[in-house]
Amino acid sequence: MTSQWLFTGLVLLVGLERVAELVVSNRHAAWAFSRGAVERGQSHYPFMVLLHTGLLAGAVAEAWLADRPFVPALGWVMLALVVASQALRWWCIRTLGNQWNTRVIVVPGLSLVHRGPYRVVPHPNYVAVVVEGLALPLVHTAWVTALVFTVVNAALLTVRIRVESAALREIASPT
């Protein structure tokens, strides 16, 4: 049971990190809108919020209600992946600066970013989301949550990446 409390603490820390992201995102949105930004994909955003909230709640609920064990060989590797995904996410935020957001908000005329993790992968933040969504529940073998999140997230990211790519092609400068 001690491991379940520690896992709950970990998930709460990830939840606090998400709150920090929203604070940064709101600050960046204000900056972008003051420069004539355009938002796209508003209809799928509430589903993203719900899915990500469900990931956190589901992981904790499954660990407790299904009495999932902490399996060190799996749990420690997954914890390392959770930490790595957080590092990648904040590298993306730092690289994009004011252009990073949890929503699809594009300032007309700004150049696309091709440095940092974006020089290697077109959507590195989504790599972080995928890794975290699989790894966080598996820290405490909450495999149902990991599976459900991964499948639903794959469908949602398909929509999100199409919307984001179209908005960047339409609005951003090609430089």
Side-chain angles (χ1 to χ4, degrees), residues 6-17 55-57 59-60 136-137:
L6 291 171
F7 179 65
T8 301
L10 170 65
V11 173
L12 287 173
L13 286 173
V14 172
L16 289 173
E17 186 279 331
L55 169 67
L56 302 178
V60 170
L136 180 62

Side-chain angles (χ1 to χ4, degrees), residues 73-175:
L74 176 66
W76 292 117
V77 171
M78 293 300 112
L79 180 60
L81 288 173
V82 169
V83 171
S85 68
Q86 296 300 328
L88 176 56
R89 176 177 289 117
W90 284 95
W91 186 20
C92 292
I93 292 169
R94 183 176 167 88
T95 300
L96 289 179
N98 286 327
Q99 290 176 264
W100 180 86
N101 207 289
T102 60
R103 296 157 37 200
V104 179
I105 300 173
V106 181
V107 178
L110 288 184
S111 298
L112 298 178
V113 174
H114 297 289
R115 63 184 185 286
Y118 294 88
R119 71 175 173 250
V120 179
V121 179
H123 298 282
N125 193 68
Y126 302 139
V127 172
V129 169
V130 168
V131 171
E132 180 190 64
L134 183 64
L136 180 62
L138 290 178
V139 167
H140 215 283
T141 63
W143 63 270
V144 173
T145 302
L147 179 64
V148 169
F149 178 85
T150 298
V151 169
V152 175
N153 189 52
L156 189 55
L157 279 180
T158 300
V159 171
R160 171 68 175 222
I161 290 172
R162 283 183 187 148
V163 167
E164 188 173 296
S165 296
L168 289 170
R169 279 191 308 274
E170 173 192 352
I171 301 164
S173 173
T175 324

Side-chain angles (χ1 to χ4, degrees), residues 26-76:
N26 287 336
R27 186 172 356 115
H28 290 177
W31 175 89
F33 287 131
S34 74
R35 286 157 179 77
V38 177
E39 183 172 6
R40 297 287 191 259
Q42 297 94 322
S43 62
H44 75 265
Y45 188 73
F47 295 105
M48 281 184 53
V49 172
L50 181 64
L51 179 62
H52 285 257
T53 303
L55 169 67
L56 302 178
V60 170
E62 184 177 350
W64 284 92
L65 297 175
D67 198 25
R68 299 286 191 226
F70 176 76
V71 178
L74 176 66
W76 292 117

